[in-house]
């Protein structure tokens, strides 16, 4: 055997040495690159890589909060929340059943040997079949109709919902859920109590349905009872136009998450609610609260796996309105009694507000709607029903009408302030007054003879106002109307950066108000101003347009002896009663006393005497104005005023839209609504504050 030291190492060539060096540095460079890459990823990019990993394996689920309550001025709840019990399916736990059903359907399809097999369609059918079987089981448990009839002989109406669509899983809903919210439970029964449905059951039967479900279905099973918070309006239609309603939204309120840290994470959310009208809309940011959230890990199939952290939702802040629920109820009940020849309620509005603070005690409008039927599942049928009846319009703040004879208080004040007439001057008032070759009629064919200010207000004499209005002229008359704010937007909120024209209630008729003058008529292309236009304006007709709330403010201002009243729907116990842009009414003591005395006489012996309240004196001015409906003249019935006559505390306005086949008059039609509001107020007011010689009607 040869010894190792006998071996000779042959010297390498230069090319071989270069080749060896190249291989050495090639492997060294690769090692350095790999090592450097690992160092960069482990040290420098570890945070970013971890965020990417988390974003792929984690998700955030946002949960809507309970909205804040809405109270009246005395603390009565006008809007609250209730627990809604629903039945939901955990799709991740139903995966074995889905797969088993899929294999069964696939085998049946292969056995038919139809050629092409649509596996996606079979997968959809498998899910649908499984969920439908579970839904059938749920209905069998919660719907005790058949056994109630069999055992107790109860009528069929105890059945929660007879509609077949309530008992079917809809494939489109399922596909949308899998596409957008796969990780969330799928709803099988949205509400076990069905409180707003046409086939709604009693609350007791709803509780029993929940109890039956809990008894028959295991807590940890794939079909579970779930609860969330839904808006409810315990008084039904009461103050619906003020309160508004809520609708579904995918834009949930803010939450406490650190958005920068979690912006890469997938976010899913339950359906939330936002205000769609009334206070619910205008104060949505206050009522909505803060959303809650849950941080989950997720499976490769997209389902939730493990809950890591969570934050519960925070309920919204409560809002206290200036409404008085008893006065509001009295107003709406009285309005509901005013019907046309077909038995349908006449469109109408009623307002009562605090004379000193401007806080609105009642704001009613009819036709109306039930916000409970809009809070969850809105049917197109009910939506169209409201649309057809005109129920969406809040006539108290959105209706624009000629004020009719209620405007005569403005004409009288303008006449005295411009020294055209004084409180004790007497004008001869016949059956008509000729202006520019045309006779403008009195509403009493016989005329009223000699008329002073008090008598004019009591009997609502037209001819007196024709003469005074023409003596004043349209420009001073329009200036007086503006001084009382008839062209001023109401219910304004302090402007914010996002909304400089915010209002306490949505869309008050602030842009359509019309106090006409010569420039206005030219601007609308109606030609030059005439004496007849002035005569019409003097009695509240012609181009004048205002709202019931504006006229209630006029009554409140006269009661205080000022020109402006700033109304508000929000209650503030510390409100001082100062009103923006208000100034002294500008009448001397005798003139103001005569004006108020005439309003008192309107109730005691004039056009409002049919609604006089024994023992409770109040002041009023009625009005009946014309408007066109379907090209024909119909009448508006008005009444404004304040109570009590000696110590004004509340002011009011009622408007009723007459129809072509229905006669409406200020005193007889609108007056009873004002009377009922005053009585509701008087029952809540100490006798010492009313200050009348006779006693307040018994409570």
């Amino acid at each position: 055997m040869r010894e190792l030291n006998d071996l000779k190492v042959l010297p390498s060539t230069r090319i071989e040495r270069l080749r060896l060096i190249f291989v050495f540095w090639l492997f060294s460079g690769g090692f350095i690159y790999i090592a450097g890459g690992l160092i960069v990823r482990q040290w420098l990019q570890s945070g970013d890589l971890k965020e990417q990993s988390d974003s792929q394996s984690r998700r955030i689920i946002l949960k809507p909060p309970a909205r804040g309550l809405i109270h009246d001025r005395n603390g009565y709840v006008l809007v609250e929340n209730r627990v809604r019990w629903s039945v939901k399916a955990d799709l991740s736990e139903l995966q074995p059943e889905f797969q088993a059903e899929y294999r069964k359907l696939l085998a049946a399809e292969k056995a038919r040997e139809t050629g092409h097999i649509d596996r996606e369609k079979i997968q959809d059918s498998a899910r649908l079949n499984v969920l439908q079987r579970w839904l059938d089981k749920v209905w069998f448990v919660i719907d005790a109709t058949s056994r109630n009839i069999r055992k107790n002989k109860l009528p069929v109406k105890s059945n929660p919902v007879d509609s077949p669509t309530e008992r079917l899983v809809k494939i489109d809903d399922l596909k949308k859920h899998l596409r957008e919210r796969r990780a969330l439970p799928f709803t099988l029964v949205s509400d076990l109590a069905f409180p707003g449905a046409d086939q709604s059951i009693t609350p007791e039967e709803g509780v029993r349905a929940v109890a039956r479900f809990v008894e028959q279905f295991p807590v940890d099973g794939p079909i579970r009872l779930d609860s969330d918070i839904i808006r409810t309006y315990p008084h039904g239609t009461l103050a619906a136009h003020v309160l508004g309603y809520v609708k579904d939204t995918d834009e949930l309120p803010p939450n406490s998450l650190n958005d920068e840290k979690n912006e890469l994470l997938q976010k899913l959310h339950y359906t939330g609610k936002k205000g769609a009208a009334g206070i619910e809309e205008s104060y949505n940011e206050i009522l909505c609260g803060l959303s809650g959230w849950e941080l989950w890990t997720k499976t490769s199939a997209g389902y939730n796996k493990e809950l890591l952290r969570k934050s519960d939702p925070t309920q919204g802040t409560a809002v206290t309105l200036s409404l008085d629920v008893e006065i509001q109820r009295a107003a709406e009940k009285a309005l509901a009694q005013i019907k046309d020849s077909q038995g349908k309620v006449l469109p109408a509005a009623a307002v009562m507000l605090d004379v000193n603070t401007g806080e609105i005690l009642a704001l009613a409008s009819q036709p109306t709607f039930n916000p409970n039927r809009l809070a969850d599942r809105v049917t197109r049928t009910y939506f169209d029903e409201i649309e057809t009846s005109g129920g969406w319009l809040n006539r108290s703040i959105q209706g624009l009408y000629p004020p009719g004879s209620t405007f005569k208080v403005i004409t009288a004040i303008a006449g005295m302030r411009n020294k055209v007439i004084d409180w004790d001057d007497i004008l001869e008032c016949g059956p008509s007054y000729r202006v520019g070759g045309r006779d403008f009629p009195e509403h009493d064919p016989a005329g009223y003879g000699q008329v002073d200010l008090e008598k004019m207000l009591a009997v609502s004499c037209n001819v007196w106002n024709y003469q005074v209005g023409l003596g004043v002229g349209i420009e001073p008359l329009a200036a007086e109307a503006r001084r009382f704010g008839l062209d001023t937007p109401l219910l304004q909120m302090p402007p914010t950066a996002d909304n400089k024209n915010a209002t306490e209630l949505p869309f008050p008729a602030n842009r359509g108000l019309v106090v006409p003058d010569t420039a206005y008529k030219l601007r609308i292309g109606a030609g030059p101003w005439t004496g007849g236009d002035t005569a019409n304006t003097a009695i509240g007709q012609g181009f004048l347009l205002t709202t019931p709330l504006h006229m209630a403010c006029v009554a409140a201002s006269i009661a205080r002896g000022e020109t402006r009243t700033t109304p508000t729907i929000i209650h503030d116990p510390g409100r001082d009663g100062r009103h923006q842009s208000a100034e002294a009414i500008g009448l001397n003591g005798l003139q103001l006393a005569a004006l108020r005395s005439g309003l008192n006489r309107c109730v005691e012996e004039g056009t409002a005497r049919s609604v006089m309240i024994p023992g409770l004196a109040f002041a009023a001015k009625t009005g009946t104005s014309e408007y066109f409906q379907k090209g024909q003249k119909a009448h508006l019935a008005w009444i404004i005023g304040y109570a009590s006559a000696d110590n004004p505390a509340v002011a009011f306005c009622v408007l009723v839209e007459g129809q072509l086949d229905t006669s409406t008059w200020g005193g007889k039609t609108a007056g009873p609504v004002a009377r009922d509001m005053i009585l509701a107020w008087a029952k809540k007011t100490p006798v010492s504050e009313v200050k009348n010689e006779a006693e307040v009607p018994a409570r």
Side-chain angles (χ1 to χ4, degrees), residues 241 244-245 276-277 365-371 374 378-379 382-395 398:
H241 289 95
Y245 63 96
S365 178
Q366 71 173 23
T368 186
F369 57 88
N370 188 341
L374 302 168
V378 183
T379 64
Y382 188 58
F383 190 94
D384 291 343
E385 180 184 322
I386 300 172
E387 181 77 25
T388 302
S389 70
W392 293 122
L393 183 67
N394 185 350
R395 287 168 169 78
Q398 296 173 331

Side-chain angles (χ1 to χ4, degrees), residues 209-464:
V210 174
R212 285 193 292 268
F213 180 91
V214 172
E215 181 182 5
Q216 297 295 324
F217 288 83
V219 176
D220 56 352
I223 308 301
R224 299 169 184 169
L225 191 66
D226 194 13
S227 65
D228 63 350
I229 302 299
I230 192 171
R231 208 61 160 161
T232 183
Y233 303 82
H235 303 285
T237 60
L238 186 74
H241 289 95
V242 175
L243 303 175
Y245 63 96
V246 293
K247 64 180 180 181
D248 290 345
T249 180
D250 289 333
E251 300 176 5
L252 296 190
N255 55 67
S256 59
L257 278 170
N258 184 337
D259 290 336
E260 293 184 1
K261 183 178 179 181
N262 298 285
E263 63 179 352
L264 296 178
L265 297 185
Q266 179 193 19
K267 294 182 178 64
L268 297 179
H269 58 79
Y270 291 88
T271 300
K273 296 288 183 180
K274 70 176 182 179
I279 291 294
E280 293 275 30
E281 179 180 354
S282 55
Y283 283 83
N284 184 67
E285 292 186 4
I286 294 175
L287 293 165
C288 68
L290 291 176
S291 298
W293 54 269
E294 295 175 345
L295 179 62
W296 288 83
T297 60
K298 58 183 180 180
T299 66
S300 58
Y303 296 104
N304 291 338
K305 182 178 180 181
E306 180 185 0
L307 178 63
L308 301 178
R309 295 195 306 276
K310 71 173 185 176
S311 175
D312 292 330
T314 302
Q315 184 173 3
T317 303
V319 172
T320 301
L321 303 183
S322 59
L323 294 182
D324 185 300
V325 68
E326 297 301 330
I327 300 176
Q328 181 75 24
R329 183 176 286 112
E332 294 191 14
K333 184 178 179 181
L335 287 178
Q337 305 303 312
I338 308 173
K339 300 180 180 181
D340 64 13
S341 60
Q342 306 300 317
K344 296 180 181 179
V345 294
L346 287 178
V351 181
M352 177 173 276
L353 50 80
D354 187 297
V355 163
N356 297 307
T357 66
E359 291 194 354
I360 298 171
L361 306 178
L363 192 74
S365 178
Q366 71 173 23
T368 186
F369 57 88
N370 188 341
N372 284 312
R373 297 183 63 180
L374 302 168
D376 187 14
R377 295 171 297 171
V378 183
T379 64
R380 187 68 202 182
T381 300
Y382 188 58
F383 190 94
D384 291 343
E385 180 184 322
I386 300 172
E387 181 77 25
T388 302
S389 70
W392 293 122
L393 183 67
N394 185 350
R395 287 168 169 78
S396 293
I397 66 170
Q398 296 173 331
L400 288 166
Y401 309 96
S405 294
T406 60
F407 186 79
K408 291 174 181 176
V409 296
I410 302 293
T411 303
I413 293 171
M416 289 186 285
R417 292 189 68 241
N418 287 277
K419 303 187 185 308
V420 172
I421 194 79
D422 207 351
W423 68 274
D424 56 351
D425 287 344
I426 296 175
L427 299 180
E428 190 64 35
C429 299
S432 64
Y433 190 76
R434 195 165 188 80
V435 182
R438 174 187 167 191
D439 289 332
F440 282 72
E442 183 60 73
H443 60 79
D444 186 330
Y448 289 105
Q450 294 186 332
V451 178
D452 61 3
L453 171 62
E454 291 189 24
K455 184 177 179 181
M456 181 277 291
L457 293 170
V459 301
S460 196
C461 177
N462 284 343
V463 172
W464 190 95

